[in-house]
Amino acid sequence: MENPSPRRLWPLLLFAVCSLLALWPALLALHKFCERYDWRYFEALTEMSRRAVVFYHELPMWNPYSCGGEVGIANPQSLDAAPTFLLILLFGTAAGYKLSLVLYAFLAMTGTYLLCRKYSLSVLPATVAAVAYGLNGYHALHFSAGHVSFLGVTLFPLLLYCYERALDEAQWVIPTGLCSAWIAVLGGTFTPPLAAELLLLWGVLCSIERRSLRPLALLVLSALVALLSSAIRMLPVLEFVTDHPRPPFLRAPDRSSLVQVLRDLVAWREFGPVPGRKYWSHEYAGRIPLVVAPLSLVGLATAWLWKSGDPQTRSLRAVSLRLTLLAVFGLLLSMGNFAPLAPWSLLQKLPILRDLRVPSRHLVLLDLPLCLLAGFSLEWIWKEWERAARPGKRILQVAFSAVLFVAAVDGIAYTAVQYQSFEITTKGLRLDRPIFNVNAELPSGPVPFYFVNGTWQYMRETFFSGHGSVAGGAVKVGYDCDEVAPLQRAQQLDAGPVPQEKLQDTAAGEIVDSKWSPSQRIVTVDLKSPTVLLVNSNWNEHWKVDHGNVIKVAGQLAVDLAGLPPGRHTLHIRYAPRSFAIGAVLTALSLPLFGLLFFRARRRPKKESP
């Protein structure tokens, strides 16, 4: 196989430059944190996971800092199992997140480009589609608002590319499954279902088109690969969401009219409320570069404009039709509860999907096909130009290059502005300061742990100081702390620099020594008579101890020492869900096995077509 010509690599260089320029305001504040709430939430959780690994050399199984203690890696919002967590470990939370944003922007463009080239689009049309999707407003507003658990949507084009390859070469179900696993472990309650909806619809359309169940069988195999390779993260998550579903009061209806959705695709918005809409602007983000919008409309018609002829043209026509149907699907879902039998209203009757909210987040399933169809429309113009044997191909190339330039500048400007605090005045756009403007002094090593009374909205600063946040007294389970990870809450925990373990009956003995880490407690007691050891933490069913029995006392983690004889005992209390152990074994075995199977299949000589 020949090495690719450097001239063919210029789109990748362009994608890298666009990613850096679009996120330049964030990179200028590389080691600073953000003032927006969702960023504060994820920065706090990720920094605590980083410290669990760096300071205590253990996996972030349990998060003792949040609201008296909650699950860590099993939290559906956790991003700690994604490959980009390595950037957090290497460069710190603030810098690691910003470098991750650059990487995912690059992957969004590269995946779109590969998908277009798989469909035999020329380089320029494919590059236009890639820039349009990688720099669209859905990414810019969601990520700048702090919805970093949505980063998986940048991998959707790569996911489709791998699946399309699997339709031709069965071994590509492995990359399809691995890409699905990457999306799943990036966290969030919305992105994995979005990816599942995307793949399922695409697979059904391919099955209908090919009159075969093979595309659906490949989906099943890809799902199996995804589950096995991400089992270390997904088994604890699935166990958690089954045992502790989200509160039903979060299922609120919302709807958007067709005119509102179309406006979402072109409107230049800042982060803030939208008149006449239920949520803020990032929930209605779907803007694509303006020069791409009319091309997308032309692309919607290409399914009927392509002239039947050679196999390549027939293939382009079929894919155009699939993309059009996907766009309609995304549009209807984005409109929400506009009718009793609307797609979104029906989805809310299904398990897991019924716990989702904000239907307009489906705009990404409209953005992706529209950006791809923009490339298809340019390809159709080029093919029609060739078919009519018109002169001036160089002029057409210049025109396409101009479209690419305008789309790139538009996307870069829109994305960059979202990482600034800004105000639209009568005199134009006034930039203020980057949204990453918070300096924080972080400890270089472990600090003594204790709880501080405070509300969960402002827990980041408490976390950064090395302490936990707990509200005084009993609070309602659910939105009062973390609506995505419902908690079993202790009625009362001790705040301030006090011992983190105590005996319920102080006359029954004394605590001689105590060692603390996020997911473990090693406590040595001199026991005189039976009693209960109270641990200053919320209870969870997956805490275990080697001596005695883990129990719950008014929602608080405790160990019943009634079965222990008088004397000195060292108790090893650890958070160890069995689902994690099983998942770790499955992931450790499956990843090298899948790698071996894929590369062996790739090295196998292909049979000559008759």
Side-chain angles (χ1 to χ4, degrees):
M1 185 178 187
E2 296 181 0
N3 292 326
S5 168
R7 294 181 60 187
R8 295 293 182 90
L9 297 178
W10 69 264
L12 299 182
L13 178 60
L14 175 66
F15 302 155
V17 171
C18 287
S19 302
L20 290 170
L21 291 177
L23 292 157
W24 194 249
L27 295 174
L28 287 176
L30 188 64
H31 296 288
K32 293 183 179 181
F33 295 90
C34 188
E35 59 188 6
R36 293 177 175 172
Y37 168 68
D38 283 291
W39 268 113
R40 297 201 312 267
Y41 175 82
F42 285 106
E43 287 170 344
L45 295 189
T46 302
E47 173 64 14
M48 295 305 99
S49 296
R50 185 189 72 85
R51 293 184 193 183
V53 176
V54 175
F55 291 177
Y56 299 97
H57 310 294
E58 62 183 31
L59 295 175
M61 303 284 295
W62 179 257
N63 173 12
Y65 303 91
S66 179
C67 312
E70 65 171 325
V71 294
I73 203 169
N75 187 331
Q77 296 285 61
S78 170
L79 283 71
D80 304 334
T84 40
F85 187 61
L86 291 174
L87 295 175
I88 303 291
L89 296 177
L90 291 173
F91 301 102
T93 298
Y97 260 129
K98 296 176 184 66
L99 295 174
S100 296
L101 289 173
V102 174
L103 175 61
Y104 284 114
F106 176 79
L107 290 175
M109 287 182 266
T110 302
T112 308
Y113 179 78
L114 290 175
L115 182 60
C116 289
R117 296 292 285 160
K118 175 68 174 67
Y119 296 142
S120 302
L121 265 63
S122 305
V123 172
L124 268 174
T127 308
V128 169
V131 168
Y133 183 72
L135 299 176
N136 75 77
Y138 189 96
H139 305 154
L141 264 172
H142 273 291
F143 303 159
S144 63
H147 280 186
V148 288
S149 61
F150 278 54
L151 284 168
V153 300
T154 62
L155 301 176
F156 283 5
L158 192 61
L159 179 65
L160 276 185
Y161 169 75
C162 292
Y163 179 64
E164 286 284 358
R165 292 291 302 266
L167 294 174
D168 300 326
E169 306 168 77
Q171 68 267 23
W172 274 83
V173 298
I174 293 176
T176 305
L178 294 178
C179 190
S180 302
W182 190 345
I183 293 170
V185 300
L186 264 174
T189 56
F190 225 103
T191 314
L194 278 173
E197 292 168 11
L198 171 64
L199 266 190
L200 181 59
L201 178 63
W202 203 253
V204 169
L205 293 176
C206 289
S207 288
I208 295 173
E209 181 184 312
R210 297 177 178 225
R211 300 179 182 179
S212 167
L213 293 177
R214 183 174 181 272
L216 295 179
L218 293 173
L219 281 185
V220 174
L221 291 175
S222 300
L224 181 62
V225 171
L227 181 60
L228 290 174
S229 57
S230 64
I232 189 172
R233 150 88 170 148
M234 295 314 298
L235 289 189
V237 170
L238 292 173
E239 180 181 54
F240 177 79
V241 298
T242 302
D243 294 340
H244 309 285
R246 295 178 78 180
F249 67 84
L250 291 173
R251 303 169 195 158
D254 186 33
R255 62 184 178 186
S256 298
S257 68
L258 178 61
V259 173
Q260 287 174 319
V261 174
L262 295 179
R263 189 180 297 128
D264 293 337
L265 294 175
V266 296
W268 181 295
R269 290 199 179 110
E270 60 179 304
F271 175 70
V274 182
R277 310 293 283 274
K278 182 173 183 176
Y279 300 103
W280 275 30
S281 57
H282 58 294
E283 299 290 18
Y284 304 105
R287 184 183 186 275
I288 57 179
L290 288 178
V291 71
V292 172
L295 292 173
S296 299
L297 294 178
V298 174
L300 287 169
T302 54
W304 293 271
L305 292 175
W306 290 107
K307 305 296 183 183
S308 298
D310 59 276
Q312 180 185 349
T313 303
R314 289 197 299 270
S315 175
L316 288 170
R317 182 178 183 178
V319 176
S320 296
L321 179 58
R322 270 185 263 155
L323 290 172
T324 301
L325 294 174
L326 176 59
V328 172
F329 177 71
L331 171 66
L332 294 176
L333 280 171
S334 301
M335 293 173 65
N337 305 102
F338 64 88
L341 296 180
W344 174 252
S345 301
L346 296 176
L347 281 182
Q348 288 190 306
K349 300 181 183 298
L350 299 177
I352 298 179
L353 295 177
R354 66 188 175 200
D355 291 334
L356 303 180
R357 53 177 178 167
V358 195
S360 55
R361 292 177 179 178
H362 280 90
L363 278 168
V364 70
L365 297 186
L366 178 57
D367 271 355
L368 177 57
L370 288 181
C371 293
L372 291 169
L373 285 169
F376 273 68
S377 66
L378 292 177
E379 187 70 19
W380 174 77
I381 292 170
W382 183 263
K383 295 292 185 185
E384 286 298 303
W385 198 281
E386 282 187 329
R387 192 177 66 85
R390 294 189 180 118
K393 283 188 178 180
R394 180 67 64 182
I395 297 175
L396 202 58
Q397 284 183 326
V398 172
F400 285 6
S401 299
V403 170
L404 173 60
F405 177 78
V406 173
V409 171
D410 187 337
I412 289 169
Y414 186 80
T415 303
V417 165
Q418 301 308 323
Y419 290 90
Q420 302 272 348
S421 294
F422 69 94
E423 181 181 1
I424 300 178
T425 67
T426 55
K427 296 182 179 180
L429 186 67
R430 183 178 66 81
L431 298 180
D432 186 5
R433 58 178 180 169
I435 63 171
F436 295 99
N437 50 36
V438 178
N439 288 305
E441 292 187 11
L442 305 179
S444 58
V447 298
F449 175 84
Y450 58 83
F451 286 117
V452 175
N453 273 319
T455 60
W456 63 281
Q457 291 95 332
Y458 302 100
M459 61 188 177
R460 183 182 66 180
E461 286 67 31
T462 302
F463 286 15
F464 282 3
S465 65
H467 307 307
S469 175
V470 60
V475 295
K476 180 177 63 178
V477 173
Y479 198 78
D480 283 334
C481 189
D482 186 342
E483 82 275 20
V484 179
L487 306 173
Q488 307 99 327
R489 299 295 305 280
Q491 292 181 10
Q492 185 70 48
L493 295 174
D494 296 329
V498 298
Q500 296 302 297
E501 301 85 21
K502 63 182 180 182
L503 296 178
Q504 192 175 49
D505 180 5
T506 56
E510 64 175 335
I511 296 176
V512 178
D513 188 36
S514 174
K515 294 181 180 178
W516 182 97
S517 69
S519 300
Q520 299 184 73
R521 314 284 190 271
I522 300 176
V523 185
T524 302
V525 298
D526 263 339
L527 198 61
K528 298 177 182 178
S529 60
T531 187
V532 171
L533 175 69
L534 298 175
V535 180
N536 202 30
S537 169
N538 291 334
W539 171 87
N540 183 278
E541 60 266 40
H542 299 298
W543 281 96
K544 296 178 173 59
V545 65
D546 49 1
H547 301 296
N549 297 305
V550 172
I551 60 173
K552 177 169 58 172
V553 177
Q556 183 174 346
L557 177 62
V559 179
D560 184 3
L561 305 179
L564 299 182
R568 179 165 292 192
H569 303 277
T570 298
L571 309 175
H572 185 191
I573 310 166
R574 62 197 183 279
Y575 183 73
R578 184 174 298 175
S579 58
F580 176 83
I582 296 173
V585 172
L586 290 176
T587 298
L589 294 176
S590 62
L591 284 178
L593 176 62
F594 290 147
L596 178 64
L597 291 175
F598 179 73
F599 287 110
R600 283 193 64 182
R602 293 284 291 170
R603 293 178 61 184
R604 189 178 303 148
K606 295 182 180 179
K607 296 180 180 179
E608 291 290 336
S609 299

